[in-house]
Amino acid sequence: MKKWNLLPASTAKPQPTCVPEPLRADYAEACAIRDLSPKASATIIRRCLQGMIRDFCGIKKGRLIDEIEELRKRVDAGNAPRGVQHDSVDAIDHVRGIGNIGAHMEKDINTIIDVDPHEAQRLIELTEMLFEEWYEARHRREQRLKKIGAIAAEKALAKKPPAKDGPQTL
């Protein structure tokens, strides 16, 4: 017996525009197919996390495993972007392995490793957490600093003496 929910069609939470559109689209798709195909959902989340490493962290290599290792090196050296932590990198690496279930066939095609909807949901939640810790936190920080800059500029203008009106003669 199949079970389906009439509403809502997806568990995707609206994501702010500070998260790039391709990442938001992958996230929404992974949420939409979580119950229909958890393995495909995990694979799309894997792709989304790779996109985050490329966009947010500026690491672009041929394989996700190489990008994760480079990110790990940067975290260890203290050169990772603000908000990127060791445990986040470990979690992304775990998702890589889980997402590989859907992305790559096992050597023995009779070996079937399943991903259930609850497991796919945990991967979706990791993505939501990283959107918040990486993109939203950076955006909030930038906005707060911009407001401080605007206040400083306003105060600097207030300190200037008023301009004298009319032409000056000697």
Side-chain angles (χ1 to χ4, degrees):
M1 178 164 140
K2 290 219 173 208
K3 176 183 166 189
W4 59 281
N5 295 327
L6 179 61
L7 291 174
S10 172
T11 59
K13 297 176 183 173
Q15 297 299 321
T17 57
C18 62
V19 176
E21 173 56 31
L23 301 178
R24 287 184 282 143
D26 278 352
Y27 160 78
E29 184 177 347
C31 291
I33 65 168
R34 181 198 66 201
D35 293 331
L36 181 63
S37 179
K39 204 178 336 181
S41 179
T43 302
I44 293 170
I45 287 296
R46 177 192 186 279
R47 170 189 156 92
C48 184
L49 293 171
Q50 184 169 21
M52 292 172 70
I53 290 172
R54 290 178 175 185
D55 176 69
F56 189 82
C57 302
I59 299 172
K60 297 174 181 91
K61 296 186 178 274
R63 302 179 315 156
L64 178 56
I65 192 167
D66 298 327
E67 293 168 343
I68 291 170
E69 286 310 309
E70 177 62 28
L71 183 55
R72 194 179 308 280
K73 287 177 190 173
R74 290 185 187 183
V75 169
D76 289 342
N79 297 327
R82 182 184 304 269
V84 179
Q85 306 288 329
H86 283 280
D87 56 356
S88 300
V89 178
D90 291 341
I92 292 169
D93 196 23
H94 296 316
V95 172
R96 178 193 59 79
I98 297 165
N100 281 350
I101 292 169
H104 305 291
M105 180 66 73
E106 295 296 320
K107 289 185 185 359
D108 178 358
I109 63 167
N110 294 314
T111 302
I112 299 172
I113 302 171
D114 210 7
V115 176
D116 73 43
H118 298 292
E119 293 166 337
Q121 180 61 32
R122 298 294 86 75
L123 308 185
I124 288 167
E125 290 168 0
L126 169 67
T127 305
E128 292 168 344
M129 180 185 82
L130 294 178
F131 282 168
E132 183 179 326
E133 289 180 0
W134 293 6
Y135 289 98
E136 292 182 59
R138 177 177 67 185
H139 179 74
R140 282 191 307 270
R141 183 176 194 278
E142 288 169 352
Q143 293 303 308
R144 287 176 181 145
L145 295 175
K146 191 176 186 180
K147 288 177 184 175
I148 297 297
I151 293 169
E154 181 182 311
K155 298 303 178 189
L157 282 175
K159 287 189 340 186
K160 287 185 178 180
K164 295 183 180 180
D165 292 340
Q168 293 193 3
T169 57
L170 295 174

